[in-house]
Amino acid sequence: MRCLVLCVALITFGCRAADDLAAPTIDAAPDGVDGTGCTATTPRTVPLEAFIGPTGLQARLGGYIDSATTSLDVQMYLFSVTELASHITAARMRGVAVRVILDPGEAANNAVYPLFNSGGVPWKNAASVYSYAHAKYLIIDRTTTVIMSMNFNGDAMVRERNYGVVDRDPEDVTDLQAIFDEDWALANGNKNAPAANLTCTRLIVSPINSNQRVLELIASAQTTLDVEVMYITDVVVQNYVAAAHDRGVTVRVILSDPSGTPGNTGMATFLGGKGIPVKYAIDQFYLHAKLIIADGVAFVGSENMSPTSFTQNREVGALALEPDQVALIQAQFDSDWAITTPAM
């Protein structure tokens, strides 16, 4: 098993928000009952809800933002949809305590900086402790989280296949809040910021536990394993998928168009050589999802199947365990499988 190593050299990026504007006070996060949800498959006290993009996605996300009454924390790798930025600014103007963390290397984020600055929205570029601040999530009123593979970019709203979940379990909310608070402190230049305590969590987090938990999910499959991801460059993941087929699991894999991700040609050849059917999403939609479904348990989150994503990035995901919600996700995979293009 690969050892997860996190570089601790911090080079923070300056905040360009209007810091001289008074921001609402953020109260302490409510404390979930720690110690009950210590594995990714521990049942939740509150069922999560799944959603799928792109149909109706922008209106849905705007509605989540508009529902905030006291606080709204956002971490987003790519944020270029100014209409969603306006929803966040409106939340700030009505007194919601808003904080936004963005990835410093994503030039498209320039589209929303002026709106945040003029609206007094506190925002920061993530600290360089991470290769990429690639997570995509919201925390609303410290009671509701939205964890997803969607960025806030134009294509996600109209042509990308993505999956997300709304998670209201108190312990999950507390854990994600601790992650955000840690990253906010790091972005502010606090090199001594306490790390989020994730020794007991359901969440799938890079660079903490994502590699192990994704591999555990794949290894758990005894009957079916469906994979719908942009790409697989992690050799161990590749071999775990092949091993599932070797032990008699029915495996199906959808990858993104190899014209945009050339490495997918070699991956399709490898998996196809093992007898695993592989399809490409070419003209049907742009595949941005990071989805794995093993025997009725679905991984949804921001993690790509790459060593960088597992060990160097900030990423957040979760397992959907609730049968009715996994059924929605499975139905979308089955629909996508029916229309996508065989790799060979």
Side-chain angles (χ1 to χ4, degrees):
M1 189 70 66
R2 180 182 297 107
C3 175
L4 305 185
V5 179
L6 177 59
C7 173
V8 296
L10 302 179
I11 304 174
T12 56
F13 290 78
C15 171
R16 302 184 184 89
D19 286 334
D20 56 332
L21 296 177
T25 300
I26 300 176
D27 295 329
D31 186 17
V33 183
D34 198 24
T36 60
C38 294
T39 72
T41 55
T42 304
R44 295 180 177 85
T45 59
V46 181
L48 61 67
E49 303 167 11
F51 62 96
I52 301 163
T55 303
L57 179 61
Q58 185 166 325
R60 176 186 291 272
L61 295 173
Y64 292 148
I65 295 167
D66 292 346
S67 72
T69 60
T70 57
S71 67
L72 175 66
D73 289 330
V74 180
Q75 182 162 15
M76 191 56 52
Y77 169 69
L78 169 57
F79 197 146
S80 60
V81 177
T82 55
E83 292 85 351
L84 291 176
S86 294
H87 281 267
I88 291 175
T89 301
R92 169 71 176 88
M93 297 303 291
R94 67 175 181 269
V96 176
V98 177
R99 299 181 294 180
V100 179
I101 299 175
L102 301 172
D103 183 86
E106 223 351 297
N109 293 341
N110 291 332
V112 300
Y113 297 157
L115 285 169
F116 289 160
N117 291 341
S118 63
V121 173
W123 69 272
K124 302 286 181 183
N125 276 325
S128 61
V129 65
Y130 307 114
S131 293
Y132 299 96
H134 194 249
K136 309 116 175 24
Y137 65 85
L138 313 175
I139 309 173
I140 302 162
D141 294 344
R142 301 189 172 226
T143 61
T144 302
T145 67
V146 183
I147 299 170
M148 53 197 157
S149 65
M150 299 82 161
N151 288 300
F152 284 3
N153 63 308
D155 281 350
M157 306 303 145
V158 297
R159 61 184 291 260
E160 291 182 3
R161 173 68 69 237
N162 281 294
Y163 297 86
V165 294
V166 180
D167 186 350
R168 297 182 177 88
D169 180 273
E171 192 170 353
D172 293 353
V173 175
T174 297
D175 289 344
L176 190 55
Q177 189 68 65
I179 292 168
F180 185 94
D181 291 345
E182 175 189 353
D183 288 349
W184 184 257
L186 291 172
N188 274 299
N190 182 359
K191 298 182 180 181
N192 297 314
N197 182 357
L198 300 177
T199 56
C200 176
T201 187
R202 288 183 191 83
L203 300 180
I204 298 176
V205 185
S206 294
I208 305 301
N209 63 20
S210 61
N211 191 17
Q212 176 184 350
R213 288 189 165 183
V214 166
L215 294 176
E216 287 174 349
L217 177 63
I218 297 170
S220 73
Q222 299 300 312
T223 305
T224 61
L225 178 66
D226 290 329
V227 179
E228 186 172 19
V229 296
M230 285 185 69
Y231 54 79
I232 304 173
T233 60
D234 187 284
V235 175
V236 180
V237 171
Q238 159 191 309
N239 290 336
Y240 267 54
V241 172
H245 174 267
D246 291 345
R247 66 177 177 268
V249 177
T250 299
V251 180
R252 299 181 291 178
V253 177
I254 307 175
L255 301 173
S256 65
D257 187 343
S259 67
T261 312
N264 283 347
T265 301
M267 183 54 54
T269 300
F270 169 80
L271 295 175
K274 298 288 186 178
I276 297 171
V278 180
K279 291 189 171 184
Y280 295 136
I282 297 180
D283 298 324
Q284 300 86 359
F285 50 84
Y286 181 81
L287 178 52
H288 188 259
K290 302 89 171 63
L291 175 71
I292 299 172
I293 313 171
D295 292 348
V297 175
F299 165 74
V300 174
S302 66
E303 287 93 339
N304 286 308
M305 301 299 113
S306 72
T308 299
S309 183
F310 291 139
T311 66
Q312 299 177 32
N313 292 357
R314 170 61 86 210
E315 310 270 10
V316 175
L319 297 187
L321 312 170
E322 295 76 4
D324 59 336
Q325 300 306 301
V326 177
L328 294 175
I329 295 170
Q330 184 69 64
Q332 186 63 63
F333 178 93
D334 292 343
S335 176
D336 291 349
W337 183 259
I339 65 172
T340 44
T341 303
M344 55 187 69

